[in-house]
């Protein structure tokens, strides 16, 4: 019998997971999986857990818990911007032990007038069949079942029986439990069904449309009065199965190759290889795999023929794709399929936010108000944005072609390394849109004059850090602004000023530090090789001074070449970052003013509140991405 110290932490974790699994899920497969995976604990352990021991576990946070809480907050705050079905599947994976998550894979037959559903079933059979055993009952059930009905296949070690076909009364879905030695350890679930994919000419179907149709397929669940209810069933990975030449044409029109490894496509064609078609999708011949399987089951003397037919069918490529998504890189590490699901969900949410912002900006710029003053200010805002972009491009072109920037050439870095921060700060202070910032203040003054009061403009997130410590050019931290003076946010969009402050306080010290590091490395390498050349000459290993000089010259040339390469790359990167941050600042200020003008035109403050809500959603996405990067 296990001791108390060995038993209690494990049972406590089980109880915590049990409390999470009972959360309602819109997906019938999730509900079924949760009930099947719920652990059983004794009443005595439950009473002890309720006595206060879970508090000890809750005090320690980790990136996995932080990511789960952030996703829940994201679901609560912006349910219209995020795919709830995929988010629920991601949360279900995070509630499971790292490295032991259930990976759900959809085997989808493309509805294109061919026998795609039957072909998808044959592909699934080829992936799960065990050649070391005789024909199993589930193989006959899979072959004879109605292909028009969705099927759930759970793969795992055998329980009291090797296989079972069950009809789940609650959800009305066929369900199989199969043991496959090749895949038992991967904790896989398969969803076999047909799917309708929005086709079009090459390039018309977007990646977002394909993911919505394939990674969140809809299952029709029978309900009362001979009706069906469509329910979304999200999956981690999806395999599109097509048949014949027509299927290859339909698959080639889909942007499968542009997506990540979550979506793969395969076409069943006998006697044809992927190289012959020059296709971006995989081509398999399931008949070869079935023939090899039958030969091996007749006797081990056919092992060579089985191996030849098995690899000729190209089915092992699909098996590798399954294992790559369901196998963690190390013990207690999150499976790659779960990571891709979370990353894709966050990326799609960011895309939705950008789309909403673009629509709001377009609506604000084209707002037709009865008040001619508001229309005139909209025209002024459009002119300001155009002039600001032009000034940004022209002034930065002058700055990066000017005398100050030429002083920071790689060969001048030895005597100007301490001037990097001073020269770059001067460039930013004089060339980073000073006129656009002044005209923006004048424009906001006209808006305040129109409304009779100073409106509240949405500020960039960096403005919230203004009351915290600031980093100086030397790398030291200055005291907070609130401690030195009476500080308050500006009464106009502060995007340009805060972007300039970010570049001066964050990127310039990094550039200064890199310059000093490169100079020290270059001098150190040159000094070492020169000393080595002197030792060679003095120890008579080098017969002449020219041989010793060649060693010193080699070290000097190498060190200078490395200095030139890395410093030029750093200069180009910093130049690109300044330009990009400037464009973001202009666009942010334009959106902020447009929101206020829209509110003035509609006599409300809804636009400002929506902008704040979108900004909060952006912060949650950034927080979730950071936690995902730190999570094992």
């Amino acid at each position: 019998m296990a001791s108390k110290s060995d038993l209690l932490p494990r049972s406590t974790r089980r109880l915590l997971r049990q409390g999470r699994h009972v959360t309602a899920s819109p997906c019938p497969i999730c509900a079924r999986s949760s009930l099947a995976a719920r652990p059983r604990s004794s009443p005595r352990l439950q009473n002890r857990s309720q006595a206060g021991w879970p508090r000890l576990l809750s005090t320690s946070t980790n990136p996995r818990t932080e990511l789960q809480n952030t996703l829940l907050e994201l679901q609560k705050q912006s349910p219209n911007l995020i795919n709830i079905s995929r988010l629920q599947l991601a949360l279900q994976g995070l509630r499971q032990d790292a490295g032991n998550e259930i990976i759900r894979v959809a085997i989808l037959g493309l509805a294109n007038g061919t026998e795609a559903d039957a072909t998808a079933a044959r592909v699934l059979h080829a992936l799960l069949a065990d050649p070391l055993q005789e024909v199993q009952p589930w193989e006959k059930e899979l072959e004879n079942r109605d292909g028009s009905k969705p099927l759930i296949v759970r793969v795992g070690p055998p329980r009291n029986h090797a296989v079972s076909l069950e009809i789940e009364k609650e959800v009305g879905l066929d369900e199989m439990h199969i043991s496959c030695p090749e895949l038992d350890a991967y904790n896989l679930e398969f969803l076999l069904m047909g799917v309708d994919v929005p086709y079009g000419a090459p390039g018309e179907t977007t990646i977002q449309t394909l993911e919505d149709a394939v990674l969140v397929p809809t299952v029709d669940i029978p309900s009362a009065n001979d009706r069906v209810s469509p329910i979304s069933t999200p999956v981690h990975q999806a395999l599109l199965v097509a048949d014949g030449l027509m299927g290859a044409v339909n698959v080639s029109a889909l942007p499968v190759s542009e997506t990540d490894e979550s979506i793969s496509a395969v076409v069943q064609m006998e006697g044809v290889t992927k190289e012959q078609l020059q296709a971006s999708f995989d081509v398999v011949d399931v008949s070869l795999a079935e023939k090899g399987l039958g030969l091996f089951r007749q006797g081990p003397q056919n092992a060579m023929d089985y191996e030849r037919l098995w690899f000729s069918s190209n089915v092992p490529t699909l098996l590798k794709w399954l294992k790559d998504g369901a196998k963690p890189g190390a013990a207690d590490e999150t499976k790659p399929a779960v990571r891709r699901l979370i990353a894709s969900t966050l990326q799609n949410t960011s895309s939705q936010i950008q789309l909403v912002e673009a629509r709001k900006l377009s609506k604000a710029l084209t707002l037709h108000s009865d008040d001619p003053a508001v229309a005139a200010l909209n025209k002024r805002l459009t002119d300001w944005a155009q002039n600001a972009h032009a000034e940004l491009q022209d002034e930065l072109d002058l700055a990066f072609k000017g005398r100050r920037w030429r002083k920071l050439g790689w060969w001048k870095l030895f005597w100007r390394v301490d001037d990097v921060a001073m020269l770059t700060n001067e460039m930013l202070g004089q060339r980073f849109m000073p006129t656009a910032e002044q005209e923006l203040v004048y424009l906001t003054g006209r808006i305040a004059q129109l409304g009779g009061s100073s409106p509240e403009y949405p500020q960039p997130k960096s403005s919230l850090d203004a009351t915290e410590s600031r980093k100086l050019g030397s790398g030291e931290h200055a005291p907070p602004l609130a401690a030195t003076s009476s500080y308050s946010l500006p009464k106009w969009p502060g995007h340009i000023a805060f972007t300039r402050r970010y570049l001066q306080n964050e990127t310039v010290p990094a550039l200064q530090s890199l310059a000093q590091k490169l100079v020290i490395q270059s001098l150190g390498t040159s000094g070492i090789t020169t000393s080595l050349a002197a030792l060679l000459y003095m120890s008579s290993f080098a017969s002449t001074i020219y041989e010793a000089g060649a060693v010193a010259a080699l070290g000097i040339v190498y060190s200078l070449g490395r200095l030139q390469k890395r410093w030029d790359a750093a200069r180009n990167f910093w130049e690109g970052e300044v330009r990009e941050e400037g464009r973001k600042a202009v666009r942010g200020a334009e959106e902020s003013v447009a929101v206020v003008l829209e509110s003035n035109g509609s006599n409300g403050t809804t636009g400002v509140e929506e902008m704040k809500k979108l900004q909060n959603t952006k912060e949650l996405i950034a927080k979730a991405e950071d936690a995902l990067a730190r999570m094992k």
Side-chain angles (χ1 to χ4, degrees), residues 571-589:
R571 277 162 46 101
N572 293 334
F573 176 80
W574 189 76
E575 178 180 349
E577 185 177 15
V578 171
R579 293 181 183 274
E580 182 62 25
E581 292 297 330
R583 285 190 288 267
K584 291 180 180 179
V586 174
R587 182 172 179 82

Side-chain angles (χ1 to χ4, degrees), residues 355-369:
L355 182 60
V356 171
E357 290 178 341
R359 289 175 178 174
K360 290 182 65 65
L361 178 60
S362 177
K363 178 181 177 181
L365 294 178
T366 58
L367 181 64
H368 298 285
S369 175

Side-chain angles (χ1 to χ4, degrees), residues 57-128:
L57 296 177
S58 61
T59 57
S60 59
T61 59
N62 53 61
R64 195 180 187 88
T65 304
E66 180 182 350
L67 177 59
Q68 180 179 345
N69 295 333
T70 305
L71 292 180
L72 288 173
E73 183 66 23
L74 189 61
Q75 176 187 0
K76 178 181 178 182
Q77 180 169 320
S78 303
N80 297 329
L81 299 176
I82 194 168
N83 192 313
I84 300 298
S85 298
R86 301 192 70 191
L87 181 63
Q88 290 294 333
L89 183 61
L91 290 172
Q92 179 184 352
L94 293 176
R95 289 164 183 152
Q96 299 166 353
D97 293 337
N100 196 35
E101 300 93 348
I102 297 177
I103 302 301
R104 189 183 303 168
V105 182
I107 308 296
L108 305 174
L110 292 181
N112 55 6
T114 61
E115 299 296 331
D117 292 343
T119 304
R122 294 175 62 192
V123 171
L124 180 61
H125 172 264
L127 292 173
L128 300 180

